[in-house]
Amino acid sequence: METNILIIGAGFAGAATGYALKQRGEGDVVILEKEPTAGEHSSGRNAAMIRAEIADPAIQDLAMAGRAALITGEMAAYEQNGAMLLGHGEDDVSQFFPTARGRGRWCPEDGVLDVHALLQSYLAGLDVRYDTELLTWTREDGKILVETNRGAYVANTLVNAAGAWAGRLGDLPLKPMKRHLFTTTPMQPVDPHWPFVWDDKVGLYFRPESGGLLLSACDEISSEPGDYTESEAVVEDLAAKVA
């Protein structure tokens, strides 16, 4: 098949790129996704939090623009419960999240987004080929030739949105990392409308989830793409940070 733009990966990077190209009137865009559904990896496993206050100035403007576009609720349901960023100010976190302690900056417009609905909104109306895995790609006569397990594609532009596999696909110095997310059993005092709390210095965030709490020790562990084995050491690290 011949197309103008070929996107590898139907996660948020690939889906948002395809959506933006469609909004701009770009034609002949095809997305190849090796899994049977979209969002089986990082895009479907994230903590769903919209945070605009970012320590890294290189992405601060991007984060603000992203929040402005997503909090409207037009693409997916958004719960504007706010966020408390510990160590960034003098607001008392216990006023907003009674079981937490510390002081920080209160960000009332932050919140939690339905990431699965957002991904489907991006992909709506796009030409996505599932169960299609890229095997090799080469350049020839100004075109890009892509071989997959379901046949060959020819494109003018190839977009590398392969997530943890992006380094391998593009021969780039990218190192796949994984992070653990934990959920507790339901806890009687938890209010689903509490904000999320994020301590950058300690490396810990938590928020209400399914009657209990979702927590992460913000670990970054080098791993192979698609490796979801759990590490007992991270559980111990999380317990120490919570304490």
Side-chain angles (χ1 to χ4, degrees):
M1 176 186 175
E2 186 165 354
T3 185
N4 181 27
I5 301 173
L6 192 63
I7 300 173
I8 309 301
F12 276 123
T17 300
Y19 173 83
L21 290 170
K22 181 181 177 181
Q23 294 296 104
R24 290 172 51 179
E26 297 284 351
D28 296 327
V29 178
V30 175
I31 300 178
L32 304 185
E33 170 55 54
K34 71 172 185 173
E35 304 294 353
T37 58
E40 289 201 17
H41 299 288
S42 299
S43 295
R45 298 167 183 260
N46 70 77
M49 298 182 294
I50 299 297
R51 172 182 167 178
E53 183 74 18
I54 307 295
D56 186 350
I59 58 175
Q60 177 63 54
D61 290 345
L62 181 62
M64 291 291 291
R67 184 181 70 174
L70 295 174
I71 65 176
T72 64
E74 295 178 2
M75 300 288 289
Y78 180 66
E79 297 179 14
Q80 189 173 312
N81 298 332
M84 176 60 72
L85 307 182
L86 296 182
H88 290 256
E90 292 300 322
D91 297 315
D92 185 354
V93 66
S94 65
Q95 296 181 7
F96 306 96
F97 202 128
T99 61
R101 295 294 179 267
R103 293 188 175 276
R105 180 175 178 180
W106 170 239
C107 302
E109 293 186 354
D110 289 352
V112 178
L113 189 75
D114 185 339
V115 292
H116 301 287
L118 176 62
L119 185 57
Q120 293 306 313
S121 291
Y122 280 143
L123 293 172
L126 297 178
D127 186 353
V128 185
R129 311 293 174 90
Y130 294 101
D131 292 311
T132 304
E133 182 176 2
L134 183 147
L135 302 177
T136 63
W137 66 273
T138 58
R139 292 187 178 93
E140 186 175 313
D141 297 329
K143 299 284 187 177
I144 299 176
L145 309 182
V146 174
E147 291 289 342
T148 78
N149 62 324
R150 294 190 170 225
Y153 291 80
V154 179
N156 295 316
T157 301
L158 182 66
V159 178
N160 182 355
W165 289 263
R168 293 180 179 178
L169 173 61
D171 193 22
L172 301 169
L174 300 177
K175 188 176 183 180
M177 310 289 281
K178 68 180 177 181
R179 171 172 291 183
H180 290 62
L181 293 179
F182 299 90
T183 55
T184 70
T185 56
M187 301 164 64
Q188 187 64 36
V190 173
D191 183 337
H193 301 296
W194 280 343
F196 65 80
V197 177
W198 198 317
D199 190 327
D200 283 317
K201 184 176 181 180
V202 171
L204 171 70
Y205 64 72
F206 51 91
R207 67 168 177 81
E209 173 64 36
S210 302
L213 293 178
L214 179 149
L215 311 94
S216 177
C218 298
D219 54 292
E220 294 182 346
I221 300 175
S222 179
S223 64
E224 290 297 308
D227 171 22
Y228 298 115
T229 55
E230 299 177 8
S231 171
E232 293 184 3
V234 177
V235 180
E236 298 175 359
D237 185 36
L238 176 66
K241 289 182 176 182
V242 171

